[in-house]
Amino acid sequence: SSRVLWTLAVTQFGCGLFEEMSSSTVNHGIHTYDIVGRHIPTEKNPKPQLYKMRIFANDEVMAKSRFFYFLSKLRRVKRANGQVLSIKEVEEKNTSEVKNYGIWLRYNSRSNTTNMYKEFRDVSLNGAVGQLYNQMASLHRARFFSIQIIKTAVVANEEAKRPHIHQFMGEGVKFPLLHRIKRPALPKFRATFAARRPSTH
């Protein structure tokens, strides 16, 4: 039929042709939005096709801007002749459990285009994407608008590939307390000054 819902996986800083999954400090200010838009109906095409994009952006204004940017590249629909039918922020259902996220991406460097696969541990996809942008900027000098996220997924422990992810797996994982601060058991034992220097290691 002429009214087909196209699903295009598009992030704030890149686009792909695969549908992808998507606290200010945790996710680095990145939010996930589902946007549905289309070409303005005309006499020649009264029922234009619908296009759905999942976009990572800081706010709705930036999300709409990126929506029309990628739509103009992929389907020749721009802001002047297009319209947004709905925009909805996607919330993570479970943010109380740490998960392994795998991200497939490509980015444009100074010399060529490189494909990559990276893994991150976080409580939400927004946080994992924020880690991705920070790591790409620091290690590869990749600018935000040169990164294209193709696909994201939750990776099981047995399917993880990166060594820095494996070190957090297993039942006997222990974390040393490097900076212990002794505190009084009751408020009446608190003192502004102490005769001995505290030992925190």
Side-chain angles (χ1 to χ4, degrees):
S1 63
S2 60
R3 192 178 183 84
V4 179
L5 181 63
W6 288 73
T7 303
L8 303 176
V10 179
T11 65
Q12 179 186 1
F13 309 115
C15 61
L17 294 180
F18 302 91
E19 185 177 5
E20 64 173 329
M21 299 174 57
S22 102
S23 64
S24 61
T25 304
V26 175
N27 60 22
H28 307 278
I30 294 178
H31 304 272
T32 305
Y33 297 95
D34 276 346
I35 303 180
V36 178
R38 65 176 181 178
H39 193 285
I40 294 178
T42 59
E43 296 182 358
K44 185 177 180 180
N45 186 13
K47 294 183 179 180
Q49 293 178 343
L50 300 180
Y51 301 98
K52 179 183 177 181
M53 297 186 186
R54 182 158 290 188
I55 297 179
F56 292 109
N58 296 330
D59 50 35
E60 291 188 4
V61 176
M62 177 62 73
K64 291 180 182 179
S65 175
R66 304 309 295 168
F67 172 80
F68 281 112
Y69 173 79
F70 294 118
L71 195 57
S72 64
K73 299 293 184 182
L74 297 171
R75 293 293 182 268
R76 297 179 61 86
V77 178
K78 56 185 180 180
R79 186 186 295 271
N81 57 15
Q83 59 182 179
V84 174
L85 300 181
S86 69
I87 178 170
K88 180 177 63 174
E89 183 175 357
V90 180
E91 298 287 350
E92 193 91 9
K93 292 184 179 180
N94 183 14
T95 58
S96 61
E97 180 183 355
V98 178
K99 297 175 284 294
N100 306 320
Y101 290 96
I103 302 178
W104 289 260
L105 71 143
R106 70 172 62 93
Y107 80 98
N108 298 321
S109 63
R110 298 184 181 120
S111 57
N112 55 12
T113 301
T114 306
N115 297 321
M116 283 188 176
Y117 168 74
K118 289 185 173 292
E119 290 178 351
F120 300 95
R121 284 177 61 84
D122 208 291
V123 296
S124 66
L125 178 60
N126 293 338
V129 172
Q131 292 185 49
L132 169 71
Y133 288 138
N134 287 342
Q135 186 180 108
M136 293 298 295
S138 61
L139 297 182
H140 304 281
R141 301 295 189 270
R143 294 170 175 81
F144 288 164
F145 288 91
S146 65
I147 299 174
Q148 303 176 7
I149 296 181
I150 301 174
K151 177 183 176 182
T152 64
V154 177
V155 181
N157 290 343
E158 56 273 10
E159 298 178 357
K161 300 179 181 180
R162 299 297 182 252
H164 70 277
I165 301 296
H166 289 167
Q167 66 181 348
F168 294 105
M169 298 178 183
E171 298 180 355
V173 178
K174 297 181 180 179
F175 301 92
L177 300 177
L178 301 178
H179 187 69
R180 298 185 180 184
I181 300 179
K182 297 181 179 180
R183 300 184 182 278
L186 297 175
K188 64 180 181 179
F189 297 130
R190 293 177 184 174
T192 305
F193 303 99
R196 295 181 181 180
R197 178 181 299 176
S199 177
T200 60
H201 59 275

